[in-house]
Amino acid sequence: MQRTAVILALLFPATLAWNTDGLSQDSNQPNPANVFRIVYANNWNPISYIENGKTKGILPDRVEHLLGQIMGMRVEHIAVPWGRAQKMIRDGAADAFITTVTPERLTYSTPTQDSLFYVPFVLATLKESAADQRLKSPDNLIPVMGSTFCDVLGNGWATQFYQNKPVKVHYAPTIEECLKMLQVGRVSGIVHAQAVVKHYADIMGLGKTIHIFPTPAQSSPTFPILLSNKSAWKDRFLKDFNSRFSQKLDTQTIEKKE
């Protein structure tokens, strides 16, 4: 079946009524700021990024639809470097982020029951390289044992993924840096979000140089909303969101056609 460049299929039931204090009508705990602050990675196009000073991308668009339009909340979308985004959640400087759950993140945040997004993470290699010829999927890296792969700083999913893999990992500031290293043979491969790798490979003119494998890693992540444990919104938001959308929220797949 032909897919559009980005496949987004999210079904929502009827609207939950929220009052002017930004909390559900049965709440007696108004939020003083009346704004729900969500942070995103600022260089993860097309999933989240900055354009002309504004936060844009698949995540903020769908979160605004879900929380802003359907739940009637005032949402502030903030895109910053990913390390800073995670620190803002730890410190309580922001209320939530949307990402994969890791043991470390569970020490300072609490996820919604259901995930909003599924993000296929796929293997990318330099065409006709040893890795390109030996590998078939991201789940078996034994054929290139001892080689080096690249991922982005702060990617908790990658930390878990490579934990038992027989390869080394170099963490770079951006996926663009990883692609540059792959292009010149400094790393053997990348296992990252398919939509992101494809986007940057295209804008860097690497479409004929990089081989992006179609099979996603078996542990490709789903993204719930994770609430900062220091957020004044935490308990009430989780109660309302989980009650409203439990078993009614279809996870959408974020991928980009090759």
Side-chain angles (χ1 to χ4, degrees):
M1 179 184 296
Q2 291 291 328
R3 296 177 181 268
T4 57
V6 177
I7 299 176
L8 301 171
L10 188 58
L11 302 178
F12 299 109
T15 302
L16 173 66
W18 286 58
N19 63 22
T20 55
D21 289 320
L23 291 172
S24 60
Q25 290 179 338
D26 65 350
S27 171
N28 57 7
Q29 304 175 31
N31 181 272
N34 195 24
V35 175
F36 190 75
R37 305 181 79 223
I38 301 185
V39 287
Y40 309 84
N42 67 341
N43 193 19
W44 215 37
N45 199 325
I47 298 178
S48 60
Y49 58 98
I50 289 283
E51 184 176 282
N52 297 324
K54 295 183 179 180
T55 300
K56 295 189 176 183
I58 297 168
L59 287 186
D61 284 351
R62 280 306 184 180
V63 171
E64 178 62 33
H65 179 70
L66 173 62
L67 303 189
Q69 297 179 25
I70 291 183
M71 296 178 72
M73 298 174 63
R74 289 180 57 194
V75 183
E76 182 180 1
H77 305 277
I78 307 166
V80 296
W82 189 232
R84 189 190 308 171
Q86 295 177 85
K87 185 177 187 300
M88 290 174 71
I89 299 300
R90 284 195 300 269
D91 295 345
D95 297 296
F97 59 170
I98 299 93
T99 186
T100 185
V101 174
T102 67
E104 197 270 336
R105 287 173 185 154
L106 288 176
T107 65
Y108 60 84
S109 64
T110 304
T112 53
Q113 289 178 359
D114 294 328
S115 294
L116 280 68
F117 304 94
Y118 166 71
V119 185
F121 272 51
V122 298
L123 170 68
T125 60
L126 186 65
K127 287 184 178 179
E128 300 183 1
S129 65
D132 188 49
Q133 295 172 355
R134 296 173 186 173
L135 297 178
K136 295 182 179 180
S137 78
D139 292 306
N140 180 14
L141 301 183
I142 292 176
V144 291
M145 182 183 300
S147 63
T148 300
F149 278 62
C150 188
D151 211 283
V152 179
L153 287 166
N155 184 354
W157 179 88
T159 301
Q160 295 183 89
F161 175 78
Y162 287 109
Q163 189 172 15
N164 298 314
K165 296 292 189 295
V167 297
K168 304 171 186 176
V169 188
H170 173 80
Y171 289 99
T174 66
I175 201 66
E176 293 167 287
E177 291 299 316
C178 286
L179 285 166
K180 290 176 183 177
M181 295 178 72
L182 183 62
Q183 182 183 19
V184 298
R186 290 183 59 192
V187 298
S188 296
I190 299 168
V191 180
H192 201 76
Q194 187 254 16
V196 177
V197 175
K198 183 66 169 62
H199 172 83
Y200 287 107
D202 286 347
I203 65 174
M204 294 170 67
L206 301 179
K208 296 182 179 180
T209 304
I210 302 300
H211 178 196
I212 300 176
F213 289 65
T215 304
Q218 293 179 6
S219 59
S220 291
T222 55
F223 285 4
I225 302 175
L226 288 97
L227 275 288
S228 169
N229 289 339
K230 294 183 179 180
S231 171
W233 288 82
K234 174 177 168 276
D235 293 336
R236 177 54 58 183
F237 177 87
L238 288 171
K239 178 181 177 181
D240 285 335
F241 185 93
N242 290 336
S243 175
R244 180 67 180 88
F245 294 108
S246 179
Q247 299 180 344
K248 301 175 184 177
L249 188 62
D250 286 349
T251 300
Q252 66 183 22
T253 298
I254 297 177
E255 59 183 339
K256 192 170 183 179
K257 184 179 177 182
E258 290 191 42

